[in-house]
Amino acid sequence: MVSENLLKIKSTLPESVTLVAVSKTKPVSDIQEAYDAGHRTFGENYPQEMRDKHEVLPQDIQWHFIGHLQTNKIKYIIPYVTLIHSIDSANLLEAVNKEAKKHERVVDCLLQFHIALEETKFGLDLDEARQLLDSEAFKTMENVRICGVMGMATFTNDEAEVRKEFKYLKEIFDTLKTEYFANQPQFKEISMGMSEDYLIAIEEGATMVRVGSKIFGARNYNK
Ligand SMILES: *Cc1c(COP(=O)(O)O)cnc(C)c1O
């Protein structure tokens, strides 16, 4: 089932779009099934859960951290994480930089933006991002690399609203690219779109989509 869902979704994606298979709350056996079908990029929301899965699954899996990250949990992911999608404060980026330095790594990160109507979703706004990128502290961070932006649309059936939010994230990306990253080819990722809206996200310029329930089935509990 998992592998069929996965291959079906992959067949609808342009080759340039990275599929992050969101496996949070799902058992290792489901991830192994997707792995055996050729998939290597998985997304998790909880640091200890990601660590536990990383320990028992094949080492060539690329683990993307997509959930809200507390500074005291960074240590569970830094040794092996491929990309952190959810940098939502200067403090968090600073703490990631510090832990990455201990492990002599440069960790790729996305800046998460608040684009939804709901107040509950985490993320920066454009001014906060500019403050971060202009700060002296940021200029001394040698163990993080900003590779783009991430956002979550409002949970709604209103397609026009969702599309508007994705367009806005694309605008933020273009603005930051021009202002800060014009000569930095690594700044190229727009992570947006989930099971219900990834096709809209791709139309609006997503380079990475994060799809969970459409691959692994509904989650039992709302984590
Ligand atoms: C859970 C989650 C997803 C995947 O959600 P689905 O609707 O199951 O595809 C994507 N992104 C983030 C940040 C998530 O927390």
Side-chain angles (χ1 to χ4, degrees):
M1 218 23 201
V2 167
S3 56
E4 283 162 32
N5 294 341
L6 178 78
L7 296 176
K8 202 167 136 198
I9 289 172
K10 275 194 165 172
S11 71
T12 66
L13 297 183
E15 249 176 64
S16 57
V17 173
T18 302
L19 173 62
V20 180
V22 176
S23 45
K24 64 183 176 208
T25 80
K26 294 297 177 179
V28 160
S29 55
D30 283 359
I31 301 175
Q32 185 69 50
E33 186 180 339
Y35 181 91
D36 292 340
H39 200 69
R40 293 293 180 271
T41 306
F42 295 89
E44 290 281 339
N45 285 54
Y46 310 99
Q48 287 104 321
E49 182 180 343
M50 187 159 107
R51 177 201 55 192
D52 293 347
K53 288 172 171 174
H54 166 260
E55 278 174 6
V56 299
L57 281 158
Q59 293 303 302
D60 62 338
I61 287 180
Q62 302 198 333
W63 293 101
H64 288 214
F65 191 81
I66 65 171
H68 181 60
L69 185 55
Q70 292 169 290
T71 51
N72 61 342
K73 305 227 168 121
I74 291 171
K75 57 179 183 276
Y76 298 122
I77 71 170
I78 290 300
Y80 57 88
V81 69
T82 296
L83 180 65
I84 300 175
H85 291 230
S86 45
I87 299 296
D88 59 5
S89 74
N91 272 348
L92 177 60
L93 189 63
E94 202 165 337
V96 167
N97 181 67
K98 197 170 156 195
E99 187 70 18
K101 194 181 179 105
K102 277 190 212 162
H103 292 271
E104 298 180 340
R105 291 197 67 200
V106 176
V107 171
D108 286 346
C109 296
L110 306 180
L111 298 177
Q112 180 173 355
F113 285 87
H114 183 266
I115 57 172
L117 299 171
E118 296 116 346
E119 273 308 309
T120 50
K121 293 196 165 104
F122 292 99
L124 304 161
D125 63 30
L126 189 53
D127 280 341
E128 289 167 337
R130 285 190 178 118
Q131 268 173 41
L132 188 166
L133 296 169
D134 285 331
S135 69
E136 287 307 311
F138 177 68
K139 286 166 194 155
T140 67
M141 292 182 200
E142 292 180 343
N143 295 81
V144 287
R145 203 166 70 129
I146 306 295
C147 298
V149 302
M150 179 271 218
M152 284 171 88
T154 304
F155 186 70
T156 173
N157 292 326
D158 181 352
E159 192 184 312
E161 175 61 31
V162 169
R163 190 177 291 280
K164 186 177 94 184
E165 292 168 5
F166 288 153
K167 272 190 202 302
Y168 181 55
L169 188 60
K170 172 71 163 70
E171 266 175 50
I172 290 174
F173 172 85
D174 290 339
T175 301
L176 295 179
K177 180 84 190 166
T178 306
E179 292 181 5
Y180 296 95
F181 298 101
N183 300 316
Q184 296 182 46
Q186 92 282 353
F187 190 86
K188 63 180 170 58
E189 303 294 356
I190 304 176
S191 167
M192 61 186 185
M194 306 175 22
S195 288
E196 298 308 321
D197 55 21
Y198 72 94
L199 292 172
I200 304 173
I202 290 168
E203 287 172 9
E204 299 305 332
T207 65
M208 276 184 179
V209 293
R210 310 177 307 270
V211 179
S213 39
K214 269 241 160 76
I215 297 172
F216 296 105
R219 288 176 291 275
N220 291 333
Y221 47 109
N222 189 19
K223 281 183 91 171

